[in-house]
């Protein structure tokens, strides 16, 4: 039994030496010192010993147990120290390492110009109206005095949702005029910015998706003079006090009379260049006095009320504002371009 105890001690010490962490250490303790442990098992056999042997073996067993307990305590301290050292090493914070830069985004050039335009119009007493991008052709065409078969429907070919072409992606923001006039009574003073769609191929001045800002004013005694004043105010605030405009007669089915408004070319100052295609002027928007038929269709008496309307291309407005010569830059999301604003 004496040999057994000594052998056990050697085994226990070896197991202790191998225990690398707290869990392994606890395993060793249970294996040798636990209630069902190996030393306990030996002590249980002591009944079979002679009266002379019993105290000797008992003393030896107690000694082995005490030694083992001490050794476990020592090993525990070593493991604890090592764990702490490991933790300190892993959690070390090196304050000299440069931090990761957080990229702060900013507005797209078109959003900048839109926000400016909104501010200008709100300053003149306008409010902002919204309309759907998936539109009924009744609103995009019929109620704007563009009946089935009208050639404008061909020029403004768009993307159709239904086969009978009664639902499509709106080709202009003008239907918002009708939606507003149907649900509000004059005085009306709104702008409505948004996306519009046309079946156009992409080039420097065209995109199948672009943006317009629609404007509508309806009240008693509104004249072409109000239209000119409002649009001149817009253009001068956006492009500078010295900006010159030109109002050219034109035709739109939903206005009478109608005009197009050009601004003098920012690039050549009017002598003609590549940007203005030799014209000296750059077309900015379409406008006119709301057609009496359109007013009547919305239940507004054209003998009492008159109004003006306009539709301006936000994309073109942005190109002009920043002297950008290719519309594709606005949609390509090239950060080298966008970071400049
Ligand atoms: N909707 C026209 C277009 O897309 C622009 C336009 C012209 C809007 C005259 C108007 C307007 O409100 O009165 O070409």
């Amino acid at each position: 039994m004496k040999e057994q105890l000594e052998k056990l001690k050697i085994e226990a010490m070896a197991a202790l030496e191998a225990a690398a962490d707290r869990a392994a250490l606890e395993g060793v303790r249970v294996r040798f010192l636990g209630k069902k442990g190996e030393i306990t098992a030996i002590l249980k056999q002591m009944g079979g010993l002679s009266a002379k042997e019993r105290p000797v073996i008992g003393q030896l067993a107690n000694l082995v147990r005490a030694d083992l307990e001490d050794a476990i305590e020592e090993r525990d301290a070593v493991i604890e120290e090592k764990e702490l050292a490991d933790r300190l090493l892993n959690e070390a914070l090196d304050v000299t390492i440069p931090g990761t830069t957080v990229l702060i985004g900013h507005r797209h050039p078109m959003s900048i110009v839109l926000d400016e335009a909104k501010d200008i119009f709100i300053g003149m007493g306008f409010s902002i109206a919204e309309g759907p991008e998936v539109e009924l052709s009744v609103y995009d065409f019929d109620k704007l005095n563009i009946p089935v078969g009208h050639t404008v429907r061909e020029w403004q070919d768009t993307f159709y949702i239904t086969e009978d072409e009664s639902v499509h992606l709106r080709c202009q923001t003008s239907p918002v005029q009708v939606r507003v006039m149907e649900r509000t009574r004059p005085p009306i003073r709104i702008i409505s910015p948004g996306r519009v769609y046309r079946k156009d191929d992409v080039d420097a001045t065209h995109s199948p998706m672009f943006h317009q800002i629609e404007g509508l004013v309806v009240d008693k005694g509104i004249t072409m003079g109000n239209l000119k004043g409002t649009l001149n105010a817009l253009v001068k605030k956006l492009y500078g006090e010295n900006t010159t405009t030109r109002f050219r007669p034109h035709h739109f089915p939903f206005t009478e009379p109608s005009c197009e408004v050009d601004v003098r070319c920012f690039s050549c100052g009017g002598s003609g260049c590549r940007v203005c295609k030799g014209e000296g002027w750059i077309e900015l928007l379409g406008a006119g006095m709301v057609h009496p038929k359109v007013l009547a269709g919305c239940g507004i008496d054209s003998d009492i009320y008159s109004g003006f309307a306009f539709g301006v291309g936000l994309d073109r407005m942005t190109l002009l504002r920043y002297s950008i010569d290719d519309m594709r830059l606005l949609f390509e999301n090239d950060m080298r371009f966008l970071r400049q604003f």
Side-chain angles (χ1 to χ4, degrees):
M1 206 170 260
K2 195 178 160 212
E3 286 96 67
Q4 246 180 315
L5 275 169
E6 267 157 9
K7 197 172 146 246
L8 208 67
K9 186 178 169 187
I10 293 167
E11 263 176 48
M13 291 304 177
L16 263 187
E17 207 53 50
D21 57 28
R22 285 262 168 87
L25 194 63
E26 179 60 11
V28 173
R29 196 188 64 75
V30 171
R31 178 178 154 201
F32 293 99
L33 300 177
K35 261 193 208 154
K36 291 178 183 161
E38 297 191 19
I39 291 187
T40 319
I42 290 176
L43 290 177
K44 273 186 190 154
Q45 297 166 24
M46 284 205 350
L49 293 175
S50 66
K52 204 177 141 214
E53 276 177 317
R54 213 177 295 155
V56 181
I57 295 294
Q59 205 181 9
L60 181 65
N62 281 335
L63 214 68
V64 170
R65 161 182 285 164
D67 281 356
L68 207 54
E69 277 169 356
D70 286 350
I72 287 177
E73 215 167 286
E74 254 172 55
R75 185 74 191 145
D76 189 44
V78 170
I79 289 175
E80 189 178 306
E81 207 169 296
K82 188 174 167 294
E83 281 180 356
L84 182 67
D86 283 352
R87 236 180 48 224
L88 283 176
L89 199 70
N90 287 332
E91 291 174 10
L93 180 68
D94 184 349
V95 290
T96 64
I97 294 175
T100 29
T101 358
V102 180
L103 279 181
I104 297 176
H106 61 87
R107 288 177 302 164
H108 188 278
M110 222 157 18
S111 302
I112 298 175
V113 172
L114 176 58
D115 285 349
E116 279 182 28
K118 279 183 184 168
D119 278 351
I120 295 168
F121 281 112
I122 287 169
M124 291 192 279
F126 285 69
S127 50
I128 316 275
E130 278 185 54
E133 279 174 44
V134 175
E135 186 55 286
L136 303 173
S137 63
V138 171
Y139 282 93
D140 211 358
F141 294 129
D142 301 70
K143 288 174 185 252
L144 287 168
N145 196 27
I146 309 171
V148 175
H150 198 294
T151 42
V152 161
R153 289 202 186 210
E154 253 167 67
W155 301 333
Q156 305 193 344
D157 200 10
T158 174
F159 302 91
Y160 298 95
I161 306 286
T162 57
E163 214 158 316
D164 65 357
E165 303 189 357
S166 64
V167 185
H168 59 234
L169 297 182
R170 66 180 178 190
C171 63
Q172 50 190 352
T173 43
S174 301
V176 185
Q177 287 185 32
V178 178
R179 289 185 175 275
V180 169
M181 282 192 282
E182 280 185 346
R183 64 170 186 250
T184 22
R185 295 297 93 188
I188 293 169
R189 230 183 284 172
I190 58 107
I191 58 162
S192 183
R195 285 193 191 96
V196 298
Y197 303 83
R198 302 250 174 116
K199 194 178 153 288
D200 278 334
D201 289 327
V202 176
D203 65 24
T205 52
H206 291 90
S207 158
M209 187 278 295
F210 57 105
H211 304 78
Q212 289 185 335
I213 305 176
E214 194 75 14
L216 173 72
V217 171
V218 183
D219 203 350
K220 289 177 183 158
I222 296 294
T223 69
M224 199 83 183
N226 300 117
L227 167 66
K228 282 189 83 171
T230 305
L231 292 179
N232 276 334
L234 167 73
V235 166
K236 284 178 189 292
K237 287 218 170 85
L238 268 183
Y239 302 120
E241 275 308 309
N242 298 326
T243 313
T244 317
T245 52
R246 178 174 80 172
F247 289 69
R248 247 183 317 109
H250 198 74
H251 173 263
F252 294 104
F254 35 90
T255 44
E256 181 58 38
S258 306
C259 62
E260 278 192 331
V261 181
D262 306 331
V263 291
R264 184 163 275 153
C265 180
F266 59 84
S267 187
C268 63
S271 55
C273 67
R274 199 176 58 87
V275 175
C276 59
K277 298 194 181 91
E279 292 280 321
W281 296 91
I282 296 172
E283 181 198 318
L284 189 61
L285 57 91
M289 300 305 293
V290 183
H291 199 293
K293 268 196 189 168
V294 175
L295 290 174
C298 299
I300 294 176
D301 187 344
S302 59
D303 287 336
I304 303 173
Y305 294 105
S306 56
F308 70 77
F310 59 89
V312 46
L314 175 60
D315 317 74
R316 182 165 295 186
M317 229 158 78
T318 307
L319 299 187
L320 269 176
R321 178 74 162 71
Y322 293 113
S323 307
I324 303 166
D325 61 4
D326 195 322
M327 186 170 166
R328 286 168 287 200
L329 287 165
L330 296 176
F331 301 119
E332 281 168 350
N333 289 335
D334 185 336
M335 291 304 285
R336 290 168 302 181
F337 168 74
L338 293 174
R339 279 207 190 96
Q340 298 172 53
F341 298 91

